[in-house]
Amino acid sequence: MVAPHPSPSDMPLKERKAEARRAALARRKGADPAGAHGAALARHILSRCPPPPGALVAGYWPMGDEMDVRPLLAALAERGNVLALPVTPPRGQPLLFRRWRPGDALRPGPLGTSFPAESEEVRPDWLLVPLLAFDQAGRRLGYGGGYYDRTLAALPGAVAVGCAHAVQEVPEVPAGPQDARLAWVATESGVVKCRS
Ligand SMILES: Nc1nc2c(c(=O)[nH]1)N(C=O)[C@@H](CNc1ccc(C(=O)N[C@@H](CCC(=O)O)C(=O)O)cc1)CN2
Ligand SMILES: Nc1ncnc2c1ncn2[C@@H]1O[C@H](COP(=O)(O)OP(=O)(O)OP(=O)(O)O)[C@@H](O)[C@H]1O
């Protein structure tokens, strides 16, 4: 007898994530040809789910086809929010965050990341989170380092806002119990409050 073809849900989670990652990278390619999504994302977040005035906001320095959060970071700095960017530690550890102001120097880090050269380490309470794919429940797929999962687990009470192009939405991201959920996902089309 021929074994039935395994359905996706029979595949180990690691393999399902690897496959979802390949598909997501392909779908994200050239998602913002006019470079207009970052400004639209900033408008939506500022009108629908702005961080509280005193919140310390962690952004990220965009790489490749990631959603550009720099217009939002500039607007938040103008509003008086203290900002930070992640520093990537060795695998297995949570991210560190260093204070950053628009215009401050950055240094190249692992995998094309850029991080603040010298500044104080801070604890964010509101985080803009990069991703490869998201779903309406706030599940997120990243590059596979597990960095944001460990980081959000270590920051209970912090608000995680996924930032993505609308084309990065999928019906269901393969996820396990260690995968941290997003509270909101913002795209150039609007924001979604994720089901809890
Ligand atoms: N813009 C942006 N910044 C970000 C993230 C992101 O997704 N986007 N991260 C989201 O998590 C963190 C960095 N994530 C990383 C995920 C994997 C590897 C990685 O696989 N590194 C290889 C070495 C690769 C190389 O140097 O060429 C390794 O550790 O083996 C590195 C960083 C923090 N900063
Ligand atoms: N809170 C955690 N504690 C310990 N290990 C974790 C935790 N979260 C994830 N991991 C481990 O990290 C590895 C990568 O996780 P995963 O594939 O979910 O990464 P990702 O969310 O796509 O990446 P990233 O967050 O860096 O963008 C897995 O082996 C996973 O078991």
PDB file of all heavy atoms in Angstrom, residues 87-125:
ATOM      1  N   VAL A  87      20.049  45.173  19.600  1.00  0.00           N
ATOM      2  CA  VAL A  87      21.419  44.697  19.398  1.00  0.00           C
ATOM      3  C   VAL A  87      21.316  43.175  19.443  1.00  0.00           C
ATOM      4  O   VAL A  87      20.740  42.626  20.386  1.00  0.00           O
ATOM      5  CB  VAL A  87      22.346  45.189  20.534  1.00  0.00           C
ATOM      6  CG1 VAL A  87      23.775  44.734  20.282  1.00  0.00           C
ATOM      7  CG2 VAL A  87      22.272  46.710  20.668  1.00  0.00           C
ATOM      8  N   THR A  88      21.819  42.499  18.411  1.00  0.00           N
ATOM      9  CA  THR A  88      21.645  41.041  18.317  1.00  0.00           C
ATOM     10  C   THR A  88      22.764  40.324  19.073  1.00  0.00           C
ATOM     11  O   THR A  88      23.928  40.434  18.690  1.00  0.00           O
ATOM     12  CB  THR A  88      21.644  40.603  16.836  1.00  0.00           C
ATOM     13  OG1 THR A  88      20.673  41.383  16.138  1.00  0.00           O
ATOM     14  CG2 THR A  88      21.299  39.134  16.704  1.00  0.00           C
ATOM     15  N   PRO A  89      22.416  39.579  20.141  1.00  0.00           N
ATOM     16  CA  PRO A  89      23.425  38.848  20.911  1.00  0.00           C
ATOM     17  C   PRO A  89      23.661  37.477  20.266  1.00  0.00           C
ATOM     18  O   PRO A  89      23.010  37.150  19.270  1.00  0.00           O
ATOM     19  CB  PRO A  89      22.747  38.694  22.270  1.00  0.00           C
ATOM     20  CG  PRO A  89      21.302  38.550  21.927  1.00  0.00           C
ATOM     21  CD  PRO A  89      21.075  39.362  20.675  1.00  0.00           C
ATOM     22  N   PRO A  90      24.553  36.651  20.825  1.00  0.00           N
ATOM     23  CA  PRO A  90      24.686  35.289  20.307  1.00  0.00           C
ATOM     24  C   PRO A  90      23.347  34.558  20.366  1.00  0.00           C
ATOM     25  O   PRO A  90      22.495  34.871  21.209  1.00  0.00           O
ATOM     26  CB  PRO A  90      25.695  34.645  21.262  1.00  0.00           C
ATOM     27  CG  PRO A  90      26.455  35.796  21.856  1.00  0.00           C
ATOM     28  CD  PRO A  90      25.493  36.935  21.917  1.00  0.00           C
ATOM     29  N   ARG A  91      23.164  33.578  19.480  1.00  0.00           N
ATOM     30  CA  ARG A  91      21.939  32.804  19.408  1.00  0.00           C
ATOM     31  C   ARG A  91      21.566  32.222  20.770  1.00  0.00           C
ATOM     32  O   ARG A  91      22.455  31.808  21.516  1.00  0.00           O
ATOM     33  CB  ARG A  91      22.165  31.634  18.451  1.00  0.00           C
ATOM     34  CG  ARG A  91      21.086  31.504  17.422  1.00  0.00           C
ATOM     35  CD  ARG A  91      21.519  30.529  16.358  1.00  0.00           C
ATOM     36  NE  ARG A  91      21.319  31.123  15.045  1.00  0.00           N
ATOM     37  CZ  ARG A  91      20.178  31.001  14.364  1.00  0.00           C
ATOM     38  NH1 ARG A  91      19.172  30.312  14.854  1.00  0.00           N
ATOM     39  NH2 ARG A  91      20.046  31.568  13.189  1.00  0.00           N
ATOM     40  N   GLY A  92      20.270  32.202  21.089  1.00  0.00           N
ATOM     41  CA  GLY A  92      19.826  31.615  22.353  1.00  0.00           C
ATOM     42  C   GLY A  92      19.582  32.663  23.429  1.00  0.00           C
ATOM     43  O   GLY A  92      19.019  32.357  24.473  1.00  0.00           O
ATOM     44  N   GLN A  93      20.024  33.902  23.197  1.00  0.00           N
ATOM     45  CA  GLN A  93      19.793  34.968  24.181  1.00  0.00           C
ATOM     46  C   GLN A  93      18.776  35.967  23.643  1.00  0.00           C
ATOM     47  O   GLN A  93      18.678  36.151  22.434  1.00  0.00           O
ATOM     48  CB  GLN A  93      21.106  35.717  24.454  1.00  0.00           C
ATOM     49  CG  GLN A  93      22.173  34.863  25.101  1.00  0.00           C
ATOM     50  CD  GLN A  93      23.488  35.632  25.225  1.00  0.00           C
ATOM     51  OE1 GLN A  93      23.491  36.860  25.317  1.00  0.00           O
ATOM     52  NE2 GLN A  93      24.590  34.908  25.217  1.00  0.00           N
ATOM     53  N   PRO A  94      18.048  36.638  24.555  1.00  0.00           N
ATOM     54  CA  PRO A  94      17.122  37.682  24.077  1.00  0.00           C
ATOM     55  C   PRO A  94      17.883  38.869  23.513  1.00  0.00           C
ATOM     56  O   PRO A  94      19.065  39.057  23.802  1.00  0.00           O
ATOM     57  CB  PRO A  94      16.328  38.070  25.331  1.00  0.00           C
ATOM     58  CG  PRO A  94      17.103  37.585  26.483  1.00  0.00           C
ATOM     59  CD  PRO A  94      18.007  36.483  26.017  1.00  0.00           C
ATOM     60  N   LEU A  95      17.200  39.675  22.712  1.00  0.00           N
ATOM     61  CA  LEU A  95      17.798  40.896  22.175  1.00  0.00           C
ATOM     62  C   LEU A  95      18.085  41.875  23.304  1.00  0.00           C
ATOM     63  O   LEU A  95      17.398  41.873  24.334  1.00  0.00           O
ATOM     64  CB  LEU A  95      16.818  41.564  21.198  1.00  0.00           C
ATOM     65  CG  LEU A  95      16.454  40.781  19.944  1.00  0.00           C
ATOM     66  CD1 LEU A  95      15.257  41.428  19.242  1.00  0.00           C
ATOM     67  CD2 LEU A  95      17.636  40.674  18.992  1.00  0.00           C
ATOM     68  N   LEU A  96      19.098  42.707  23.110  1.00  0.00           N
ATOM     69  CA  LEU A  96      19.317  43.862  23.988  1.00  0.00           C
ATOM     70  C   LEU A  96      18.837  45.083  23.225  1.00  0.00           C
ATOM     71  O   LEU A  96      18.792  45.060  21.992  1.00  0.00           O
ATOM     72  CB  LEU A  96      20.807  44.075  24.262  1.00  0.00           C
ATOM     73  CG  LEU A  96      21.610  42.916  24.795  1.00  0.00           C
ATOM     74  CD1 LEU A  96      23.077  43.326  24.856  1.00  0.00           C
ATOM     75  CD2 LEU A  96      21.069  42.549  26.176  1.00  0.00           C
ATOM     76  N   PHE A  97      18.507  46.143  23.949  1.00  0.00           N
ATOM     77  CA  PHE A  97      18.081  47.369  23.278  1.00  0.00           C
ATOM     78  C   PHE A  97      18.934  48.534  23.759  1.00  0.00           C
ATOM     79  O   PHE A  97      19.199  48.653  24.957  1.00  0.00           O
ATOM     80  CB  PHE A  97      16.602  47.633  23.544  1.00  0.00           C
ATOM     81  CG  PHE A  97      15.718  46.595  22.928  1.00  0.00           C
ATOM     82  CD1 PHE A  97      15.382  45.441  23.628  1.00  0.00           C
ATOM     83  CD2 PHE A  97      15.277  46.730  21.613  1.00  0.00           C
ATOM     84  CE1 PHE A  97      14.599  44.451  23.041  1.00  0.00           C
ATOM     85  CE2 PHE A  97      14.502  45.748  21.021  1.00  0.00           C
ATOM     86  CZ  PHE A  97      14.150  44.606  21.735  1.00  0.00           C
ATOM     87  N   ARG A  98      19.364  49.351  22.802  1.00  0.00           N
ATOM     88  CA  ARG A  98      20.113  50.561  23.148  1.00  0.00           C
ATOM     89  C   ARG A  98      19.362  51.778  22.661  1.00  0.00           C
ATOM     90  O   ARG A  98      18.795  51.775  21.567  1.00  0.00           O
ATOM     91  CB  ARG A  98      21.489  50.546  22.484  1.00  0.00           C
ATOM     92  CG  ARG A  98      22.414  49.587  23.154  1.00  0.00           C
ATOM     93  CD  ARG A  98      23.856  49.974  22.883  1.00  0.00           C
ATOM     94  NE  ARG A  98      24.714  48.904  23.318  1.00  0.00           N
ATOM     95  CZ  ARG A  98      25.750  48.450  22.625  1.00  0.00           C
ATOM     96  NH1 ARG A  98      26.058  49.004  21.465  1.00  0.00           N
ATOM     97  NH2 ARG A  98      26.466  47.477  23.098  1.00  0.00           N
ATOM     98  N   ARG A  99      19.417  52.810  23.486  1.00  0.00           N
ATOM     99  CA  ARG A  99      18.755  54.060  23.145  1.00  0.00           C
ATOM    100  C   ARG A  99      19.286  54.589  21.809  1.00  0.00           C
ATOM    101  O   ARG A  99      20.479  54.443  21.508  1.00  0.00           O
ATOM    102  CB  ARG A  99      19.014  55.085  24.256  1.00  0.00           C
ATOM    103  CG  ARG A  99      18.222  56.306  24.013  1.00  0.00           C
ATOM    104  CD  ARG A  99      18.097  57.193  25.199  1.00  0.00           C
ATOM    105  NE  ARG A  99      17.272  58.311  24.751  1.00  0.00           N
ATOM    106  CZ  ARG A  99      16.934  59.331  25.479  1.00  0.00           C
ATOM    107  NH1 ARG A  99      17.327  59.413  26.730  1.00  0.00           N
ATOM    108  NH2 ARG A  99      16.182  60.293  24.988  1.00  0.00           N
ATOM    109  N   TRP A 100      18.387  55.169  21.035  1.00  0.00           N
ATOM    110  CA  TRP A 100      18.766  55.703  19.719  1.00  0.00           C
ATOM    111  C   TRP A 100      17.869  56.881  19.370  1.00  0.00           C
ATOM    112  O   TRP A 100      16.679  56.874  19.685  1.00  0.00           O
ATOM    113  CB  TRP A 100      18.607  54.595  18.667  1.00  0.00           C
ATOM    114  CG  TRP A 100      18.867  55.040  17.257  1.00  0.00           C
ATOM    115  CD1 TRP A 100      20.079  55.148  16.637  1.00  0.00           C
ATOM    116  CD2 TRP A 100      17.891  55.424  16.284  1.00  0.00           C
ATOM    117  NE1 TRP A 100      19.917  55.581  15.354  1.00  0.00           N
ATOM    118  CE2 TRP A 100      18.586  55.753  15.105  1.00  0.00           C
ATOM    119  CE3 TRP A 100      16.500  55.518  16.300  1.00  0.00           C
ATOM    120  CZ2 TRP A 100      17.932  56.185  13.949  1.00  0.00           C
ATOM    121  CZ3 TRP A 100      15.850  55.946  15.157  1.00  0.00           C
ATOM    122  CH2 TRP A 100      16.563  56.263  13.982  1.00  0.00           C
ATOM    123  N   ARG A 101      18.476  57.899  18.767  1.00  0.00           N
ATOM    124  CA  ARG A 101      17.701  59.038  18.246  1.00  0.00           C
ATOM    125  C   ARG A 101      17.936  59.097  16.750  1.00  0.00           C
ATOM    126  O   ARG A 101      19.054  58.782  16.292  1.00  0.00           O
ATOM    127  CB  ARG A 101      18.189  60.348  18.859  1.00  0.00           C
ATOM    128  CG  ARG A 101      17.966  60.454  20.356  1.00  0.00           C
ATOM    129  CD  ARG A 101      18.528  61.795  20.869  1.00  0.00           C
ATOM    130  NE  ARG A 101      18.465  61.877  22.316  1.00  0.00           N
ATOM    131  CZ  ARG A 101      19.361  61.369  23.137  1.00  0.00           C
ATOM    132  NH1 ARG A 101      20.425  60.712  22.672  1.00  0.00           N
ATOM    133  NH2 ARG A 101      19.219  61.497  24.445  1.00  0.00           N
ATOM    134  N   PRO A 102      16.904  59.511  15.979  1.00  0.00           N
ATOM    135  CA  PRO A 102      17.117  59.615  14.529  1.00  0.00           C
ATOM    136  C   PRO A 102      18.387  60.415  14.243  1.00  0.00           C
ATOM    137  O   PRO A 102      18.613  61.472  14.834  1.00  0.00           O
ATOM    138  CB  PRO A 102      15.860  60.354  14.043  1.00  0.00           C
ATOM    139  CG  PRO A 102      14.801  59.952  15.023  1.00  0.00           C
ATOM    140  CD  PRO A 102      15.519  59.872  16.357  1.00  0.00           C
ATOM    141  N   GLY A 103      19.224  59.861  13.378  1.00  0.00           N
ATOM    142  CA  GLY A 103      20.484  60.526  13.033  1.00  0.00           C
ATOM    143  C   GLY A 103      21.689  59.950  13.761  1.00  0.00           C
ATOM    144  O   GLY A 103      22.819  60.125  13.314  1.00  0.00           O
ATOM    145  N   ASP A 104      21.471  59.240  14.903  1.00  0.00           N
ATOM    146  CA  ASP A 104      22.595  58.635  15.631  1.00  0.00           C
ATOM    147  C   ASP A 104      23.275  57.571  14.770  1.00  0.00           C
ATOM    148  O   ASP A 104      22.614  56.867  14.003  1.00  0.00           O
ATOM    149  CB  ASP A 104      22.105  57.955  16.926  1.00  0.00           C
ATOM    150  CG  ASP A 104      21.788  58.947  18.042  1.00  0.00           C
ATOM    151  OD1 ASP A 104      22.010  60.157  17.835  1.00  0.00           O
ATOM    152  OD2 ASP A 104      21.296  58.493  19.098  1.00  0.00           O
ATOM    153  N   ALA A 105      24.583  57.425  14.955  1.00  0.00           N
ATOM    154  CA  ALA A 105      25.366  56.467  14.156  1.00  0.00           C
ATOM    155  C   ALA A 105      24.971  55.023  14.454  1.00  0.00           C
ATOM    156  O   ALA A 105      24.601  54.684  15.584  1.00  0.00           O
ATOM    157  CB  ALA A 105      26.846  56.660  14.458  1.00  0.00           C
ATOM    158  N   LEU A 106      25.049  54.179  13.420  1.00  0.00           N
ATOM    159  CA  LEU A 106      24.783  52.742  13.572  1.00  0.00           C
ATOM    160  C   LEU A 106      26.006  51.967  13.106  1.00  0.00           C
ATOM    161  O   LEU A 106      26.767  52.439  12.262  1.00  0.00           O
ATOM    162  CB  LEU A 106      23.573  52.342  12.714  1.00  0.00           C
ATOM    163  CG  LEU A 106      22.237  52.980  13.100  1.00  0.00           C
ATOM    164  CD1 LEU A 106      21.171  52.629  12.072  1.00  0.00           C
ATOM    165  CD2 LEU A 106      21.807  52.523  14.490  1.00  0.00           C
ATOM    166  N   ARG A 107      26.147  50.760  13.662  1.00  0.00           N
ATOM    167  CA  ARG A 107      27.231  49.855  13.265  1.00  0.00           C
ATOM    168  C   ARG A 107      26.646  48.603  12.644  1.00  0.00           C
ATOM    169  O   ARG A 107      25.573  48.165  13.074  1.00  0.00           O
ATOM    170  CB  ARG A 107      27.970  49.419  14.528  1.00  0.00           C
ATOM    171  CG  ARG A 107      29.267  50.115  14.716  1.00  0.00           C
ATOM    172  CD  ARG A 107      30.077  49.353  15.733  1.00  0.00           C
ATOM    173  NE  ARG A 107      30.617  50.301  16.674  1.00  0.00           N
ATOM    174  CZ  ARG A 107      30.951  50.011  17.920  1.00  0.00           C
ATOM    175  NH1 ARG A 107      30.751  48.796  18.399  1.00  0.00           N
ATOM    176  NH2 ARG A 107      31.451  50.929  18.682  1.00  0.00           N
ATOM    177  N   PRO A 108      27.347  47.981  11.681  1.00  0.00           N
ATOM    178  CA  PRO A 108      26.823  46.740  11.110  1.00  0.00           C
ATOM    179  C   PRO A 108      26.897  45.582  12.099  1.00  0.00           C
ATOM    180  O   PRO A 108      27.911  45.405  12.773  1.00  0.00           O
ATOM    181  CB  PRO A 108      27.727  46.486   9.889  1.00  0.00           C
ATOM    182  CG  PRO A 108      28.911  47.378  10.041  1.00  0.00           C
ATOM    183  CD  PRO A 108      28.579  48.450  11.042  1.00  0.00           C
ATOM    184  N   GLY A 109      25.800  44.815  12.198  1.00  0.00           N
ATOM    185  CA  GLY A 109      25.730  43.652  13.074  1.00  0.00           C
ATOM    186  C   GLY A 109      25.512  42.387  12.254  1.00  0.00           C
ATOM    187  O   GLY A 109      25.593  42.426  11.031  1.00  0.00           O
ATOM    188  N   PRO A 110      25.210  41.246  12.923  1.00  0.00           N
ATOM    189  CA  PRO A 110      25.032  39.980  12.198  1.00  0.00           C
ATOM    190  C   PRO A 110      23.846  40.007  11.232  1.00  0.00           C
ATOM    191  O   PRO A 110      22.852  40.684  11.491  1.00  0.00           O
ATOM    192  CB  PRO A 110      24.806  38.946  13.304  1.00  0.00           C
ATOM    193  CG  PRO A 110      24.612  39.704  14.561  1.00  0.00           C
ATOM    194  CD  PRO A 110      25.069  41.104  14.366  1.00  0.00           C
ATOM    195  N   LEU A 111      23.961  39.291  10.147  1.00  0.00           N
ATOM    196  CA  LEU A 111      22.880  39.090   9.166  1.00  0.00           C
ATOM    197  C   LEU A 111      22.340  40.395   8.592  1.00  0.00           C
ATOM    198  O   LEU A 111      21.149  40.526   8.355  1.00  0.00           O
ATOM    199  CB  LEU A 111      21.740  38.285   9.798  1.00  0.00           C
ATOM    200  CG  LEU A 111      20.860  37.515   8.810  1.00  0.00           C
ATOM    201  CD1 LEU A 111      21.503  36.183   8.454  1.00  0.00           C
ATOM    202  CD2 LEU A 111      19.462  37.280   9.354  1.00  0.00           C
ATOM    203  N   GLY A 112      23.202  41.368   8.400  1.00  0.00           N
ATOM    204  CA  GLY A 112      22.734  42.608   7.777  1.00  0.00           C
ATOM    205  C   GLY A 112      22.035  43.557   8.726  1.00  0.00           C
ATOM    206  O   GLY A 112      21.474  44.565   8.299  1.00  0.00           O
ATOM    207  N   THR A 113      22.053  43.260  10.029  1.00  0.00           N
ATOM    208  CA  THR A 113      21.425  44.170  10.998  1.00  0.00           C
ATOM    209  C   THR A 113      22.343  45.374  11.240  1.00  0.00           C
ATOM    210  O   THR A 113      23.541  45.336  10.934  1.00  0.00           O
ATOM    211  CB  THR A 113      21.150  43.466  12.349  1.00  0.00           C
ATOM    212  OG1 THR A 113      22.378  42.932  12.854  1.00  0.00           O
ATOM    213  CG2 THR A 113      20.134  42.357  12.192  1.00  0.00           C
ATOM    214  N   SER A 114      21.767  46.445  11.784  1.00  0.00           N
ATOM    215  CA  SER A 114      22.526  47.639  12.167  1.00  0.00           C
ATOM    216  C   SER A 114      22.096  47.994  13.581  1.00  0.00           C
ATOM    217  O   SER A 114      20.922  47.905  13.905  1.00  0.00           O
ATOM    218  CB  SER A 114      22.175  48.807  11.237  1.00  0.00           C
ATOM    219  OG  SER A 114      22.463  48.479   9.901  1.00  0.00           O
ATOM    220  N   PHE A 115      23.074  48.374  14.412  1.00  0.00           N
ATOM    221  CA  PHE A 115      22.721  48.652  15.810  1.00  0.00           C
ATOM    222  C   PHE A 115      23.434  49.903  16.306  1.00  0.00           C
ATOM    223  O   PHE A 115      24.489  50.269  15.774  1.00  0.00           O
ATOM    224  CB  PHE A 115      23.042  47.437  16.691  1.00  0.00           C
ATOM    225  CG  PHE A 115      24.501  47.115  16.785  1.00  0.00           C
ATOM    226  CD1 PHE A 115      25.269  47.598  17.839  1.00  0.00           C
ATOM    227  CD2 PHE A 115      25.118  46.335  15.824  1.00  0.00           C
ATOM    228  CE1 PHE A 115      26.621  47.312  17.928  1.00  0.00           C
ATOM    229  CE2 PHE A 115      26.470  46.045  15.902  1.00  0.00           C
ATOM    230  CZ  PHE A 115      27.231  46.535  16.961  1.00  0.00           C
ATOM    231  N   PRO A 116      22.878  50.579  17.331  1.00  0.00           N
ATOM    232  CA  PRO A 116      23.497  51.803  17.842  1.00  0.00           C
ATOM    233  C   PRO A 116      24.886  51.498  18.394  1.00  0.00           C
ATOM    234  O   PRO A 116      25.062  50.557  19.178  1.00  0.00           O
ATOM    235  CB  PRO A 116      22.562  52.247  18.969  1.00  0.00           C
ATOM    236  CG  PRO A 116      21.264  51.544  18.711  1.00  0.00           C
ATOM    237  CD  PRO A 116      21.625  50.254  18.040  1.00  0.00           C
ATOM    238  N   ALA A 117      25.857  52.273  17.947  1.00  0.00           N
ATOM    239  CA  ALA A 117      27.250  52.008  18.291  1.00  0.00           C
ATOM    240  C   ALA A 117      27.475  52.086  19.802  1.00  0.00           C
ATOM    241  O   ALA A 117      27.986  51.153  20.408  1.00  0.00           O
ATOM    242  CB  ALA A 117      28.142  53.005  17.561  1.00  0.00           C
ATOM    243  N   GLU A 118      27.097  53.176  20.391  1.00  0.00           N
ATOM    244  CA  GLU A 118      27.352  53.357  21.825  1.00  0.00           C
ATOM    245  C   GLU A 118      26.206  54.142  22.421  1.00  0.00           C
ATOM    246  O   GLU A 118      25.994  55.285  22.064  1.00  0.00           O
ATOM    247  CB  GLU A 118      28.612  54.200  22.050  1.00  0.00           C
ATOM    248  CG  GLU A 118      29.892  53.435  21.903  1.00  0.00           C
ATOM    249  CD  GLU A 118      31.049  54.380  21.633  1.00  0.00           C
ATOM    250  OE1 GLU A 118      30.977  55.549  22.055  1.00  0.00           O
ATOM    251  OE2 GLU A 118      32.000  53.933  20.983  1.00  0.00           O
ATOM    252  N   SER A 119      25.471  53.516  23.312  1.00  0.00           N
ATOM    253  CA  SER A 119      24.446  54.250  24.050  1.00  0.00           C
ATOM    254  C   SER A 119      23.972  53.354  25.168  1.00  0.00           C
ATOM    255  O   SER A 119      24.283  52.163  25.200  1.00  0.00           O
ATOM    256  CB  SER A 119      23.284  54.660  23.144  1.00  0.00           C
ATOM    257  OG  SER A 119      22.660  53.518  22.601  1.00  0.00           O
ATOM    258  N   GLU A 120      23.182  53.941  26.076  1.00  0.00           N
ATOM    259  CA  GLU A 120      22.790  53.173  27.260  1.00  0.00           C
ATOM    260  C   GLU A 120      21.794  52.063  26.891  1.00  0.00           C
ATOM    261  O   GLU A 120      20.997  52.219  25.960  1.00  0.00           O
ATOM    262  CB  GLU A 120      22.175  54.102  28.314  1.00  0.00           C
ATOM    263  CG  GLU A 120      20.808  54.593  27.913  1.00  0.00           C
ATOM    264  CD  GLU A 120      20.241  55.671  28.817  1.00  0.00           C
ATOM    265  OE1 GLU A 120      19.771  55.336  29.911  1.00  0.00           O
ATOM    266  OE2 GLU A 120      20.242  56.842  28.398  1.00  0.00           O
ATOM    267  N   GLU A 121      21.864  50.958  27.619  1.00  0.00           N
ATOM    268  CA  GLU A 121      20.911  49.871  27.431  1.00  0.00           C
ATOM    269  C   GLU A 121      19.606  50.252  28.129  1.00  0.00           C
ATOM    270  O   GLU A 121      19.634  50.803  29.235  1.00  0.00           O
ATOM    271  CB  GLU A 121      21.473  48.583  28.034  1.00  0.00           C
ATOM    272  CG  GLU A 121      20.688  47.377  27.614  1.00  0.00           C
ATOM    273  CD  GLU A 121      21.230  46.081  28.190  1.00  0.00           C
ATOM    274  OE1 GLU A 121      22.466  45.965  28.371  1.00  0.00           O
ATOM    275  OE2 GLU A 121      20.404  45.193  28.475  1.00  0.00           O
ATOM    276  N   VAL A 122      18.473  49.988  27.466  1.00  0.00           N
ATOM    277  CA  VAL A 122      17.168  50.367  28.026  1.00  0.00           C
ATOM    278  C   VAL A 122      16.200  49.196  27.894  1.00  0.00           C
ATOM    279  O   VAL A 122      16.452  48.236  27.166  1.00  0.00           O
ATOM    280  CB  VAL A 122      16.579  51.607  27.311  1.00  0.00           C
ATOM    281  CG1 VAL A 122      17.404  52.851  27.600  1.00  0.00           C
ATOM    282  CG2 VAL A 122      16.465  51.365  25.812  1.00  0.00           C
ATOM    283  N   ARG A 123      15.060  49.298  28.632  1.00  0.00           N
ATOM    284  CA  ARG A 123      14.046  48.253  28.598  1.00  0.00           C
ATOM    285  C   ARG A 123      12.807  48.826  27.918  1.00  0.00           C
ATOM    286  O   ARG A 123      12.144  49.701  28.483  1.00  0.00           O
ATOM    287  CB  ARG A 123      13.702  47.848  30.035  1.00  0.00           C
ATOM    288  CG  ARG A 123      12.716  46.705  30.139  1.00  0.00           C
ATOM    289  CD  ARG A 123      12.299  46.529  31.606  1.00  0.00           C
ATOM    290  NE  ARG A 123      11.613  45.263  31.844  1.00  0.00           N
ATOM    291  CZ  ARG A 123      10.350  45.035  31.584  1.00  0.00           C
ATOM    292  NH1 ARG A 123       9.595  45.979  31.067  1.00  0.00           N
ATOM    293  NH2 ARG A 123       9.815  43.852  31.846  1.00  0.00           N
ATOM    294  N   PRO A 124      12.508  48.377  26.694  1.00  0.00           N
ATOM    295  CA  PRO A 124      11.346  48.937  26.001  1.00  0.00           C
ATOM    296  C   PRO A 124      10.031  48.467  26.607  1.00  0.00           C
ATOM    297  O   PRO A 124       9.956  47.366  27.163  1.00  0.00           O
ATOM    298  CB  PRO A 124      11.491  48.403  24.573  1.00  0.00           C
ATOM    299  CG  PRO A 124      12.396  47.241  24.652  1.00  0.00           C
ATOM    300  CD  PRO A 124      13.236  47.384  25.892  1.00  0.00           C
ATOM    301  N   ASP A 125       8.988  49.295  26.507  1.00  0.00           N
ATOM    302  CA  ASP A 125       7.669  48.791  26.911  1.00  0.00           C
ATOM    303  C   ASP A 125       6.693  48.772  25.729  1.00  0.00           C
ATOM    304  O   ASP A 125       5.532  48.396  25.891  1.00  0.00           O
ATOM    305  CB  ASP A 125       7.081  49.544  28.115  1.00  0.00           C
ATOM    306  CG  ASP A 125       7.459  50.990  28.167  1.00  0.00           C
ATOM    307  OD1 ASP A 125       7.516  51.610  27.105  1.00  0.00           O
ATOM    308  OD2 ASP A 125       7.701  51.481  29.280  1.00  0.00           O
TER     309      ASP A 125
END
